[in-house]
Amino acid sequence: MAFAGKVVVLGGDFRHILPVIPMGSRQDIVQASINSSYLWDHCSVLNLTRNMRLASSDISEDNSEVNEFAKWLIQIGDGFAGDSTDGESEVLILDDMLINDTEDGFGELVHFVYPNIVSNLNHTDYFKERSILAPTLEVVNEVNNSIMSRLPGEQKVYLSSDSLCVEEGNMESELDTFSPDVLNAINCSGLPPHQICLKEGVPVMLLRNIDQSNGLCNGTRMQVHCLGNHVIECIILTGDQTGRVVLIPRMDMIPNNDTLPFRFRRRQFPLIVSFAMTINKAQGQTLGVVGLFLSKPVFTHGQLYVALSRVKSKKCLRVLIQNNGTMPKGSTINVVFREIFNNIF
């Protein structure tokens, strides 16, 4: 008997991003999902039909607009919002949400998400529910660096100390091959960069679980209050501990990345600048204002649905698409693995 006869409740939405399988194929990702398990035959599926995020909106919008937005999101998640080919839909973004891809299109997107950012750097509530979303970590870093360069104030640079993990299988010749410069150049998801550039007032995100009972969890958004040499003083922006002042120290972190042929240790502050975040990191969050920057199209199931559904109203969302002539203007690819829905309805 499954789960020893105990009642277990599994919550989730198959329209969201599926399990992340590094270098995995579409079939690998689908097979790793819970509804491909032998346990799925023992589950009873209960469907929730009301979008509670939109229902709790305090924005003055009539019910017809809210219902229209909710239905459009479902069509995005199901892959029926545009012309479909082999499970991928070409979606035309609504005109009232689209920022024209002009020379200053990115500046317009930043101004929509962070209006009057310089005068609001000392306001803790300003960054609480605002973010720019992008599909890849590379694009996120470019956005964060660009916004950081526009802000006044003295910038402080923190460098990491990287070293190869000495294990039984490592030969001395291999240890000499990977110099500190090679290790410093490594950037991967869940690991802070070798060089962190910060200014007082900028938003940051915590990349490790430090003290879950006090709100210091992986993904917690904070605002830099004071930059010290050995600790960084931050104010928590999200969760039950909002407004609490915390001290973040340097930590030893070993990335769990199968693509690396070796294991190394990085001692650095477990923080990353968070004007922008990846769509995957935004999953599960509710935001007040979102700018979606698609310099590259989404690349896996559910990313576009997750990005567009973080807000309570389409008035709180703007999208900047840079197709570089590869697709019709104002359109982008929505990736949906429709076979994931085969046995859940």
Side-chain angles (χ1 to χ4, degrees), residues 4-53:
K6 297 181 180 179
V7 177
V8 177
V9 179
L10 306 175
D13 186 352
F14 288 98
R15 297 183 182 93
H16 281 195
I17 300 168
L18 300 178
V20 176
I21 309 297
M23 308 300 292
S25 65
R26 173 171 176 164
Q27 182 179 3
D28 294 333
I29 295 173
V30 172
Q31 288 299 314
S33 302
I34 183 62
N35 61 339
S36 296
S37 169
Y38 70 93
L39 293 173
W40 191 252
D41 294 334
H42 302 280
C43 297
S44 298
V45 180
L46 304 176
N47 294 313
L48 303 178
T49 58
R50 187 179 182 188
N51 191 321
M52 298 306 296
R53 180 178 284 110

Side-chain angles (χ1 to χ4, degrees), residues 162 164 175-187 194 260-262 264 266:
D162 299 339
L164 203 63
L175 295 177
D176 294 336
T177 302
F178 302 107
S179 64
D181 291 340
V182 173
L183 301 180
N184 294 345
I186 297 175
N187 288 315
H194 164 64
L260 294 176
F262 54 86
F264 79 102
R266 173 165 291 174

